[in-house]
Structure formats: structure tokens, C-alpha cells
Amino acid sequence: MHKTFYIAIMFIVPFLVAVTHLSCKRDITKIEEGGRDYASRDESALNVRILLLDRVKKAELSVDGRYQILGGLSNVVDEGVKLDKANVFIENGWINLGGKRHYNSELRIKDLGGSGIVLDSIPYRGEIRILPQTDKEFSVIEEINIENFVVGVLGCEMPNSWEEDALRSQAVAIRTYVENRRKAKKNEPFHLDKSELAYRGMLGETAKSVKIVQDTAGIVMAYHGEIFSAYFHSTCGGHTEDVNLVFGKEKLPPLSGVKCGYCENSKYYTWSVNIEKSSILQKLQKAKVNVSNIVSVKTVNHGPGEHGSEVEIIAAKGKELMNANRFRLLVGPNNLYSTAFTARNNGKNITFSGKGWGHGVGLCQYGVQGMAKKGFNWREILGHYYPKSELRRIY
């Protein structure tokens, strides 16, 4: 998602990673020391920018401890020992916060006491930036150390009770995904949208998740020296999918799809759901998809994991072909669990029978837990789900 922000974009030092090709044997995966030294650089070089709210008219914010508010030129415009719950809104270009008005290009709220900044009931560890978009709308970005962000995501993406090597695998996958986005969007206002990953700020933090992230700090995956987008999902249903078929991305060996066989314990390994045709039609028409009177649906152009790359919608007045992942997201990812399905016309409903939950690309979370329970370590697990990938410590 690309939005125009009326702010000065921070410049992040680009990656300068020198690498050599490593053996792809999964049982001897090594961690190579990367060529990126942060020791003499500003700590902000390790920060990631997360879009928390986009073009909203109101939000609620508080800080239960010492805080500081800076304007667009880093000048301190307010500070105190506690910021009680206050509404944030824009009025005629002025940013209203806690009964005070600020005419700035942005406001930056810093938590100086370590309690976190609470935004709409969710506490965040990083700095919160309020950015006016119009006379009435604003967006909110969190700027946070990447390791703290990985901790928060890990606690929301995978149960804390799971095997430690499963959690370590997930932590490295998250960090790799984030580093890929940081590099691709280094000159943009934000690197990630909150909706890209399961993230609820400090609510995802536990003592165990902090330890797990510390165990793998600075470690990412690369292919021929390039940090790739390490996708992950809940359940593959037996075989992960090719990134080219799901997202239309360039083919890449670590994201080409592999046989899993470890996620049978997921309740979404196989599934069947009934969804009303009228509900599907309403959501498609809202998204400007030209369909009416749906007769049936079927997936076409299947990948190695049996996910369809496209969906053919057969309607009373013809057929409509659309991207399968887009179809799933429009119908609802918590309603239609994956695109590896067959569909049957059932009167007013369509019965979808399928396997897996999620897009199917990259790491299968239930498969990771299954492998960890069988004694595989996190290096072996990552080598399995991302074949021919290299592990590198970049800071």
C-alpha cells in the first residue's frame, strides 16, 4: 500500500552486505557473519517504521509515565510525568492532543519511562509519530527498534507455549521479512503496514519471546546474498506453495514450495465451510468486481501445493477470472481459509472444501511446530521451508 505523506522522509543507511554462496545441505547450515557493522552508527539505523493508523479522524492516546512531545523540527513542545488518556484529532491544520493545540508538520511522542505509549488501548514500545494528512485526517507511525518489533510480532504470530526451536524459526523468518521491507522501502514514510503481520505492540511480549529473539538477534536469511521476503502462514495442508503462483512474484528457490508433512495436527489441515452466495456477491461488487448471480466458483492454474493462482467465477451472464488470493481476501481470510479448495454449488450457499490456512507460501507454522517436536533444530527447520537459503548475522 502506498500513501502520500506530507512529511520529510528519514534516510536510512542502505544495506552493504557482502556474502558468499553457502552449501544448501540442511543438516550443516551455518551462520555467516555479515558485512554490516552498526557499532559506530546511530541507533536509529536499527529502527523500523510501522504504519499503525492510516487517515483516521480520531484516536486515543496516553502515557503512564514520563513523556516528551516533539514537533516537526525536533523541538520539545510538551513534556510531563504522565499523559492522561486524551483524544487526538486534527482541526483546521492544528493537531489537538490532551487539550493542547500544536501547529506542526508532525508530533513525535516519546515514552521516557519505559511503560509504553497506549494508542487505542494497545501499548507500544516505540516512538509514536502523528502525521496530518488533511484538515481532518491523520496517520500514525510507530518507529521502533527492529528487535523489539520482532518480539512483539512473535508473541502474536505463534503460541508462547510452542517448542523453542519453532519459535526461533519464526523469529528469524519475521526478522528476514522485516529487513527485506526495510531495504525495499528505505526512502518511504513507513516500511510496513501493521496489517502485514500479526502485531499488537507490547501485548505480544513475554519473557520467553524476549529470550527467543535474543537467541537469534541479528540473524536473517538470504539467497545469493539478497535478503528475501520470508513469507509465512498458519497451515499449508501438506505442501507449501510457489510465490510466483500466489503473489505473481519472481520465482525464487527458497519460496518455490516444499513438501511439508508436519502440520497434520492443525485443525485447518483439511476443512469445509458453507458461505452464502449473496455474501460473496456483496463483497465482490463492493470491490468493483463485475459479477452478478453467482452460479459456481472454481480454482484454476494450481501450484505444487494445490493452491489455485486464479479463481473462475461462473455467473448467469458469463465468467469472471480473478486472482485467487484476492478473491480469498475479499470473501474473508477467516471465512475462506485458503485457495487450495474445491467448491460445490449448494443452492443459496457454496460449499468450499479445502486444506490449509493462509496463502501457503514459505514457512508453515504448524509444520514448524511438528518438526520441532520431532527434534529438528531451528536451522534445520528454516533450511527445510526455505531451501537453498543462507543464514547470515547482519548486526
Side-chain angles (χ1 to χ4, degrees):
M1 173 173 50
H2 298 279
K3 303 290 182 183
T4 302
F5 288 82
Y6 302 101
I7 60 171
I9 299 171
M10 291 183 61
F11 181 77
I12 303 298
V13 179
F15 289 121
L16 297 172
V17 184
V19 296
T20 55
H21 184 59
L22 304 180
S23 168
C24 63
K25 292 183 179 180
R26 297 174 184 171
D27 58 341
I28 58 171
T29 304
K30 298 187 298 181
I31 301 173
E32 292 293 314
E33 295 300 322
R36 178 164 142 185
D37 178 17
Y38 283 97
S40 61
R41 297 182 182 176
D42 189 277
E43 191 174 337
S44 65
L46 283 174
N47 286 352
V48 60
R49 300 189 296 274
I50 315 298
L51 180 66
L52 301 179
L53 299 175
D54 185 33
R55 292 183 178 273
V56 297
K57 293 183 178 180
K58 188 174 75 171
E60 196 175 70
L61 187 144
S62 64
V63 185
D64 189 19
R66 292 178 57 239
Y67 70 93
Q68 195 173 66
I69 301 177
L70 293 83
L73 298 176
S74 297
N75 56 307
V76 177
V77 297
D78 192 19
E79 58 187 340
V81 295
K82 181 179 181 181
L83 179 62
D84 291 326
K85 189 180 295 184
N87 287 327
V88 183
F89 60 95
I90 306 294
E91 188 175 49
N92 298 323
W94 291 80
I95 305 174
N96 289 262
L97 172 60
K100 297 181 180 180
R101 303 170 74 216
H102 307 279
Y103 196 77
N104 296 89
S105 60
E106 70 169 303
L107 286 185
R108 295 162 50 204
I109 298 95
K110 291 189 173 188
D111 165 35
L112 303 179
S115 61
I117 300 169
V118 180
L119 177 70
D120 289 345
S121 301
I122 299 176
Y124 294 96
R125 188 171 293 285
E127 177 182 297
I128 295 297
R129 301 168 62 188
I130 300 171
L131 313 168
Q133 302 301 306
T134 68
D135 286 343
K136 294 183 178 180
E137 296 176 318
F138 63 95
S139 297
V140 179
I141 289 175
E142 178 189 24
E143 186 163 334
I144 181 173
N145 175 275
I146 186 172
E147 296 298 313
N148 289 336
F149 179 65
V150 175
V151 170
V153 176
L154 178 62
C156 295
E157 282 286 355
M158 191 170 277
N160 194 60
S161 60
W162 278 16
E163 299 290 322
E164 288 196 359
D165 277 295
L167 291 162
R168 291 188 185 99
S169 302
Q170 179 68 85
V172 174
I174 294 168
R175 188 182 296 106
T176 303
Y177 183 91
V178 174
E179 284 287 354
N180 173 269
R181 290 294 187 270
R182 285 211 321 156
K183 182 176 181 180
K185 297 186 175 184
K186 61 179 180 293
N187 290 328
E188 296 187 25
F190 61 90
H191 302 121
L192 294 108
D193 186 317
K194 179 184 175 182
S195 63
E196 291 182 53
L197 302 170
Y199 178 56
R200 290 176 58 78
M202 295 169 67
L203 296 180
E205 297 180 3
T206 66
K208 184 175 181 179
S209 66
V210 170
K211 175 186 177 298
I212 292 296
V213 172
Q214 289 175 344
D215 288 347
T216 63
I219 298 174
V220 298
M221 291 176 288
Y223 176 69
H224 286 179
E226 292 294 324
I227 299 172
F228 58 89
S229 187
Y231 293 102
F232 47 88
H233 59 282
S234 167
T235 309
C236 71
H239 200 293
T240 63
E241 198 53 88
D242 191 323
V243 69
N244 174 260
L245 292 165
V246 176
F247 297 121
K249 304 285 187 180
E250 183 179 352
K251 284 182 174 291
L252 195 71
L255 300 174
S256 59
V258 296
K259 185 176 180 180
C260 176
Y262 297 101
C263 60
E264 301 95 333
N265 288 334
S266 170
K267 66 178 181 179
Y268 301 104
Y269 188 75
T270 59
W271 48 265
S272 182
V273 295
N274 290 316
I275 304 177
E276 292 183 359
K277 289 181 183 178
S278 59
S279 174
I280 298 173
L281 183 62
Q282 182 182 25
K283 291 173 180 177
L284 294 179
Q285 289 180 338
K286 186 177 180 180
K288 309 298 182 184
V289 179
N290 186 27
V291 293
S292 61
N293 299 322
I294 297 174
V295 176
S296 63
V297 174
K298 70 174 182 179
T299 54
V300 295
N301 300 327
H302 300 92
E306 298 182 27
H307 291 73
S309 61
E310 294 180 299
V311 164
E312 184 181 79
I313 304 168
I314 302 172
K317 295 183 179 180
K319 300 178 182 179
E320 180 74 19
L321 201 64
M322 66 181 295
N323 176 272
N325 197 54
R326 183 183 179 221
F327 174 81
R328 171 180 169 258
L329 294 177
L330 289 176
V331 173
N334 294 326
N335 299 321
L336 185 58
Y337 300 117
S338 79
T339 61
F341 66 78
T342 58
R344 185 179 73 252
N345 188 350
N346 204 14
K348 293 183 178 181
N349 301 324
I350 293 179
T351 301
F352 294 90
S353 300
K355 61 180 185 176
W357 189 7
H359 48 65
V361 180
L363 179 148
C364 168
Q365 291 170 327
Y366 272 88
V368 162
Q369 172 69 349
M371 287 190 73
K373 280 193 168 185
K374 290 182 181 295
F376 290 94
N377 66 46
W378 62 274
R379 297 176 182 84
E380 294 169 325
I381 292 170
L382 291 173
H384 174 75
Y385 285 105
Y386 303 102
K388 299 185 179 180
S389 63
E390 311 150 359
L391 288 175
R392 298 200 61 84
R393 191 186 305 276
I394 59 173
Y395 54 81

